[in-house]
Coordinates of all heavy atoms in Angstrom, one line a residue:
T535 N -0.3 38.7 -60.9 CA 1.0 39.2 -61.4 C 2.0 38.1 -61.3 O 1.9 37.1 -60.5 CB 1.5 40.4 -60.6 OG1 1.7 40.0 -59.3 CG2 0.4 41.5 -60.6
T536 N 3.1 38.3 -62.1 CA 4.3 37.4 -62.0 C 5.4 38.1 -61.3 O 6.6 38.0 -61.7 CB 4.7 36.9 -63.5 OG1 5.0 38.1 -64.2 CG2 3.7 36.1 -64.1
D537 N 5.0 38.8 -60.2 CA 6.1 39.5 -59.4 C 6.9 38.5 -58.6 O 7.9 38.9 -58.0 CB 5.4 40.6 -58.6 CG 4.4 40.0 -57.6 OD1 3.8 39.0 -57.8 OD2 4.1 40.7 -56.6
K538 N 6.4 37.3 -58.4 CA 7.2 36.3 -57.7 C 7.5 35.2 -58.7 O 6.8 34.2 -58.9 CB 6.4 35.7 -56.5 CG 6.2 36.6 -55.4 CD 5.7 35.9 -54.1 CE 4.3 35.3 -54.3 NZ 3.3 36.4 -54.4
P539 N 8.7 35.4 -59.5 CA 9.0 34.4 -60.5 C 9.0 33.0 -60.0 O 9.6 32.7 -58.9 CB 10.4 34.9 -61.0 CG 10.4 36.4 -60.7 CD 9.6 36.5 -59.4
G540 N 8.5 32.1 -60.7 CA 8.5 30.7 -60.3 C 7.5 29.9 -61.2 O 6.7 30.5 -61.9
P541 N 7.6 28.6 -61.1 CA 6.5 27.7 -61.7 C 5.5 27.5 -60.6 O 5.7 26.9 -59.6 CB 7.3 26.5 -62.0 CG 8.4 26.4 -61.0 CD 8.7 27.8 -60.6
W542 N 4.2 27.8 -60.9 CA 3.1 27.7 -60.0 C 2.0 26.9 -60.5 O 1.5 27.2 -61.6 CB 2.6 29.1 -59.6 CG 3.7 30.1 -59.2 CD1 4.2 31.2 -59.9 CD2 4.5 30.0 -58.0 NE1 5.2 31.8 -59.2 CE2 5.4 31.1 -58.0 CE3 4.5 29.1 -56.9 CZ2 6.3 31.4 -57.0 CZ3 5.4 29.4 -55.9 CH2 6.3 30.5 -55.9
F543 N 1.6 25.9 -59.8 CA 0.4 25.1 -60.1 C -0.8 26.0 -60.2 O -1.0 26.9 -59.3 CB 0.1 24.0 -59.1 CG 0.4 22.6 -59.6 CD1 0.8 21.6 -58.7 CD2 0.2 22.2 -61.0 CE1 1.0 20.3 -59.1 CE2 0.5 20.9 -61.4 CZ 0.9 20.0 -60.5
F544 N -1.6 25.8 -61.2 CA -2.9 26.5 -61.3 C -3.9 25.4 -61.7 O -4.0 25.0 -62.8 CB -2.8 27.6 -62.3 CG -4.0 28.6 -62.4 CD1 -4.8 28.9 -61.3 CD2 -4.4 29.1 -63.6 CE1 -5.9 29.7 -61.3 CE2 -5.5 29.9 -63.7 CZ -6.3 30.2 -62.6
H545 N -4.8 25.0 -60.7 CA -5.5 23.8 -61.0 C -6.9 23.8 -60.3 O -7.1 24.6 -59.3 CB -4.8 22.5 -60.6 CG -4.4 22.5 -59.1 ND1 -5.3 22.1 -58.1 CD2 -3.3 22.8 -58.4 CE1 -4.7 22.2 -57.0 NE2 -3.5 22.6 -57.1
C546 N -7.7 22.9 -60.7 CA -9.0 22.7 -59.9 C -8.7 22.0 -58.6 O -7.9 21.0 -58.6 CB -9.9 21.8 -60.8 SG -11.5 21.5 -60.0
H547 N -9.3 22.5 -57.5 CA -9.0 21.9 -56.2 C -10.0 20.8 -55.9 O -9.9 20.3 -54.7 CB -9.1 23.0 -55.1 CG -8.0 22.8 -54.1 ND1 -7.8 21.6 -53.4 CD2 -7.0 23.6 -53.6 CE1 -6.8 21.7 -52.6 NE2 -6.3 22.9 -52.7
I548 N -10.9 20.4 -56.8 CA -11.5 19.1 -56.6 C -10.5 18.1 -57.2 O -10.2 18.0 -58.4 CB -12.8 19.0 -57.5 CG1 -13.8 20.0 -56.8 CG2 -13.3 17.6 -57.5 CD1 -15.1 20.1 -57.7
F549 N -9.8 17.4 -56.3 CA -8.6 16.7 -56.6 C -8.8 15.6 -57.6 O -7.9 15.2 -58.4 CB -7.8 16.2 -55.4 CG -6.6 17.1 -55.1 CD1 -6.8 18.5 -55.1 CD2 -5.3 16.6 -54.9 CE1 -5.7 19.3 -54.8 CE2 -4.2 17.4 -54.7 CZ -4.4 18.8 -54.6
Y550 N -10.0 15.0 -57.6 CA -10.3 14.0 -58.7 C -10.3 14.6 -60.1 O -9.8 14.0 -61.0 CB -11.7 13.3 -58.4 CG -11.5 12.3 -57.2 CD1 -11.9 12.7 -56.0 CD2 -11.0 11.0 -57.4 CE1 -11.8 11.8 -54.9 CE2 -10.9 10.1 -56.3 CZ -11.3 10.6 -55.1 OH -11.2 9.7 -54.0
H551 N -10.8 15.9 -60.2 CA -10.7 16.6 -61.4 C -9.2 16.9 -61.8 O -8.8 16.7 -62.9 CB -11.4 17.9 -61.4 CG -12.9 17.8 -61.4 ND1 -13.8 18.8 -61.2 CD2 -13.7 16.7 -61.5 CE1 -15.1 18.4 -61.3 NE2 -15.0 17.1 -61.4
F552 N -8.5 17.3 -60.8 CA -7.1 17.7 -61.0 C -6.3 16.5 -61.5 O -5.5 16.6 -62.4 CB -6.6 18.3 -59.7 CG -5.1 18.5 -59.6 CD1 -4.4 19.1 -60.7 CD2 -4.3 18.1 -58.5 CE1 -3.0 19.2 -60.6 CE2 -3.0 18.3 -58.5 CZ -2.3 18.8 -59.5
V553 N -6.4 15.4 -60.7 CA -5.6 14.2 -61.1 C -6.0 13.7 -62.5 O -5.2 13.1 -63.2 CB -5.7 13.2 -60.0 CG1 -5.1 11.9 -60.4 CG2 -5.1 13.7 -58.7
A554 N -7.2 14.0 -62.9 CA -7.7 13.5 -64.2 C -7.4 14.5 -65.3 O -7.8 14.4 -66.5 CB -9.2 13.2 -64.2
G555 N -6.6 15.6 -65.0 CA -6.1 16.4 -66.0 C -6.4 17.9 -65.9 O -5.9 18.7 -66.7
L556 N -7.2 18.3 -64.9 CA -7.7 19.7 -64.9 C -6.6 20.6 -64.1 O -6.9 21.1 -63.0 CB -9.0 19.8 -64.3 CG -9.8 21.1 -64.6 CD1 -9.9 21.3 -66.1 CD2 -11.2 21.0 -64.0
G557 N -5.5 20.7 -64.8 CA -4.4 21.5 -64.2 C -3.6 22.2 -65.2 O -3.6 21.8 -66.4
S558 N -2.8 23.2 -64.8 CA -1.9 23.9 -65.6 C -0.7 24.4 -64.7 O -0.8 24.3 -63.5 CB -2.5 25.0 -66.3 OG -3.0 26.0 -65.4
V559 N 0.3 24.9 -65.4 CA 1.4 25.5 -64.7 C 1.7 26.9 -65.2 O 1.8 27.0 -66.5 CB 2.7 24.7 -64.7 CG1 3.9 25.4 -64.0 CG2 2.5 23.3 -64.1
I560 N 1.7 27.9 -64.4 CA 2.1 29.3 -64.8 C 3.5 29.5 -64.4 O 3.9 29.4 -63.2 CB 1.2 30.3 -64.1 CG1 -0.3 30.0 -64.4 CG2 1.5 31.7 -64.6 CD1 -0.8 30.1 -65.8
V561 N 4.3 29.8 -65.4 CA 5.8 30.1 -65.1 C 6.0 31.6 -65.3 O 5.6 32.2 -66.4 CB 6.7 29.3 -66.1 CG1 8.1 29.8 -65.9 CG2 6.6 27.9 -65.8
G562 N 6.5 32.3 -64.3 CA 6.8 33.7 -64.5 C 8.3 33.9 -64.4 O 9.0 33.3 -63.5
G563 N 8.9 34.6 -65.3 CA 10.3 35.0 -65.2 C 11.3 33.9 -65.2 O 12.1 33.7 -64.2
P564 N 11.5 33.0 -66.2 CA 12.5 31.9 -66.1 C 13.9 32.4 -65.9 O 14.7 31.8 -65.2 CB 12.3 31.2 -67.5 CG 11.5 32.2 -68.4 CD 10.7 33.0 -67.5
D565 N 14.2 33.6 -66.5 CA 15.6 34.1 -66.3 C 15.8 34.5 -64.8 O 16.9 34.1 -64.2 CB 15.8 35.3 -67.2 CG 15.9 35.0 -68.6 OD1 16.2 33.8 -69.0 OD2 15.7 35.9 -69.5
E566 N 14.8 35.1 -64.2 CA 14.9 35.5 -62.8 C 15.0 34.2 -61.9 O 15.7 34.2 -60.9 CB 13.8 36.3 -62.4 CG 13.8 37.8 -63.0 CD 13.4 37.9 -64.4 OE1 13.1 36.8 -65.0 OE2 13.5 39.0 -65.0
I567 N 14.3 33.2 -62.3 CA 14.3 31.9 -61.5 C 15.7 31.4 -61.5 O 16.3 31.1 -60.4 CB 13.3 30.9 -62.1 CG1 11.9 31.4 -62.0 CG2 13.5 29.5 -61.4 CD1 10.9 30.5 -62.7
R568 N 16.4 31.4 -62.6 CA 17.7 30.9 -62.7 C 18.7 31.7 -61.9 O 19.7 31.2 -61.3 CB 18.2 30.7 -64.2 CG 17.5 29.5 -64.9 CD 18.1 29.3 -66.3 NE 17.6 30.3 -67.2 CZ 16.5 30.1 -67.9 NH1 15.7 29.0 -67.7 NH2 16.0 31.1 -68.8
Q569 N 18.4 33.0 -61.9 CA 19.3 33.9 -61.1 C 19.1 33.8 -59.6 O 20.1 33.9 -58.8 CB 19.1 35.4 -61.5 CG 19.5 35.7 -63.0 CD 18.9 37.0 -63.4 OE1 18.3 37.8 -62.6 NE2 19.0 37.3 -64.7
Q570 N 17.9 33.5 -59.2 CA 17.6 33.6 -57.8 C 17.5 32.3 -57.0 O 17.6 32.3 -55.8 CB 16.3 34.4 -57.6 CG 16.3 35.8 -58.1 CD 15.0 36.5 -58.0 OE1 14.3 36.4 -57.0 NE2 14.7 37.3 -59.0
V571 N 17.2 31.2 -57.7 CA 16.9 29.9 -57.1 C 18.2 29.1 -57.0 O 18.8 28.8 -58.0 CB 15.8 29.2 -57.8 CG1 15.6 27.8 -57.1 CG2 14.5 30.0 -57.9
H572 N 18.5 28.8 -55.7 CA 19.7 28.0 -55.4 C 19.3 26.9 -54.4 O 19.4 27.1 -53.2 CB 20.8 28.8 -54.9 CG 21.2 30.0 -55.7 ND1 21.9 29.8 -57.0 CD2 20.9 31.3 -55.6 CE1 22.0 31.0 -57.5 NE2 21.5 31.9 -56.8
P573 N 18.8 25.7 -54.9 CA 18.2 24.7 -54.1 C 19.3 24.1 -53.1 O 20.5 24.2 -53.4 CB 17.7 23.7 -55.0 CG 17.5 24.4 -56.3 CD 18.6 25.4 -56.4
T574 N 18.8 23.5 -52.1 CA 19.7 22.8 -51.1 C 20.1 21.4 -51.6 O 19.5 20.9 -52.6 CB 19.0 22.7 -49.8 OG1 17.8 21.8 -50.0 CG2 18.6 24.0 -49.2
E575 N 21.1 20.9 -51.0 CA 21.5 19.5 -51.3 C 20.3 18.5 -51.0 O 20.1 17.5 -51.7 CB 22.7 19.1 -50.5 CG 24.0 19.8 -50.9 CD 25.2 19.3 -50.2 OE1 25.1 18.4 -49.4 OE2 26.3 19.9 -50.4
G576 N 19.6 18.8 -50.0 CA 18.4 17.9 -49.6 C 17.4 17.9 -50.7 O 16.9 16.8 -51.1
W577 N 17.1 19.1 -51.3 CA 16.2 19.1 -52.5 C 16.8 18.4 -53.7 O 16.1 17.7 -54.4 CB 15.9 20.5 -52.8 CG 14.9 20.7 -53.9 CD1 13.5 20.7 -53.8 CD2 15.2 20.9 -55.3 NE1 13.0 20.9 -55.0 CE2 14.0 21.0 -56.0 CE3 16.4 21.0 -56.0 CZ2 13.9 21.3 -57.4 CZ3 16.3 21.2 -57.4 CH2 15.1 21.3 -58.1
D578 N 18.1 18.6 -54.0 CA 18.8 18.0 -55.1 C 18.6 16.5 -55.1 O 18.6 15.8 -56.1 CB 20.2 18.4 -55.1 CG 20.4 19.8 -55.7 OD1 19.6 20.4 -56.4 OD2 21.5 20.4 -55.3
A579 N 18.6 15.9 -53.8 CA 18.6 14.5 -53.7 C 17.2 13.9 -53.9 O 17.1 12.7 -54.0 CB 19.2 14.1 -52.3
L580 N 16.2 14.7 -53.9 CA 14.8 14.1 -53.9 C 14.5 13.4 -55.2 O 14.0 12.2 -55.1 CB 13.8 15.2 -53.7 CG 13.7 15.8 -52.2 CD1 12.7 17.0 -52.3 CD2 13.2 14.8 -51.3
C581 N 14.8 14.0 -56.3 CA 14.4 13.3 -57.6 C 15.2 12.0 -57.8 O 14.6 11.0 -58.2 CB 14.5 14.2 -58.7 SG 13.2 15.5 -58.8
P582 N 16.5 12.0 -57.7 CA 17.2 10.7 -57.8 C 16.7 9.6 -56.9 O 16.6 8.5 -57.3 CB 18.7 11.1 -57.5 CG 18.8 12.6 -57.9 CD 17.5 13.1 -57.4
A583 N 16.4 10.0 -55.6 CA 15.9 9.0 -54.7 C 14.5 8.5 -55.1 O 14.3 7.3 -55.0 CB 15.9 9.6 -53.3
Y584 N 13.7 9.4 -55.5 CA 12.3 9.0 -55.9 C 12.4 8.1 -57.2 O 11.7 7.1 -57.2 CB 11.5 10.2 -56.2 CG 10.1 9.9 -56.6 CD1 9.1 9.5 -55.7 CD2 9.8 10.0 -58.0 CE1 7.8 9.2 -56.2 CE2 8.5 9.7 -58.4 CZ 7.5 9.3 -57.5 OH 6.2 9.0 -57.9
N585 N 13.2 8.5 -58.1 CA 13.3 7.7 -59.4 C 13.9 6.4 -59.1 O 13.6 5.4 -60.0 CB 14.1 8.5 -60.4 CG 13.4 9.8 -60.9 OD1 12.2 9.9 -60.8 ND2 14.2 10.8 -61.3
A586 N 14.6 6.2 -58.1 CA 15.2 4.9 -57.8 C 14.3 3.9 -57.0 O 14.6 2.8 -56.8 CB 16.5 5.1 -56.9
L587 N 13.1 4.5 -56.6 CA 12.1 3.7 -55.8 C 11.5 2.6 -56.7 O 11.3 2.8 -57.9 CB 11.0 4.6 -55.2 CG 11.4 5.5 -54.1 CD1 10.2 6.4 -53.8 CD2 11.8 4.8 -52.8
P588 N 11.2 1.5 -56.1 CA 10.3 0.5 -56.9 C 9.0 1.1 -57.2 O 8.5 2.0 -56.5 CB 10.2 -0.7 -55.9 CG 10.5 -0.2 -54.6 CD 11.5 1.0 -54.8
A589 N 8.4 0.6 -58.2 CA 7.1 1.3 -58.8 C 6.1 1.4 -57.7 O 5.3 2.3 -57.6 CB 6.6 0.5 -60.0
N590 N 5.9 0.3 -56.9 CA 4.8 0.3 -55.9 C 5.1 1.4 -54.8 O 4.1 1.8 -54.1 CB 4.7 -1.1 -55.2 CG 5.9 -1.3 -54.3 OD1 7.0 -1.3 -54.7 ND2 5.6 -1.7 -53.0

Side-chain angles (χ1 to χ4, degrees):
T535 66
T536 56
D537 60 337
K538 291 193 294 293
W542 309 110
F543 250 151
F544 186 36
H545 62 81
C546 179
H547 218 307
I548 295 174
F549 258 49
Y550 287 96
H551 288 176
F552 168 46
V553 173
L556 201 52
S558 64
V559 178
I560 304 295
V561 174
D565 291 337
E566 287 78 2
I567 294 170
R568 284 187 284 272
Q569 293 166 7
Q570 299 176 37
V571 177
H572 305 287
T574 62
E575 291 183 4
W577 181 88
D578 284 335
L580 286 174
C581 286
Y584 178 79
N585 293 334
L587 290 173
N590 70 305

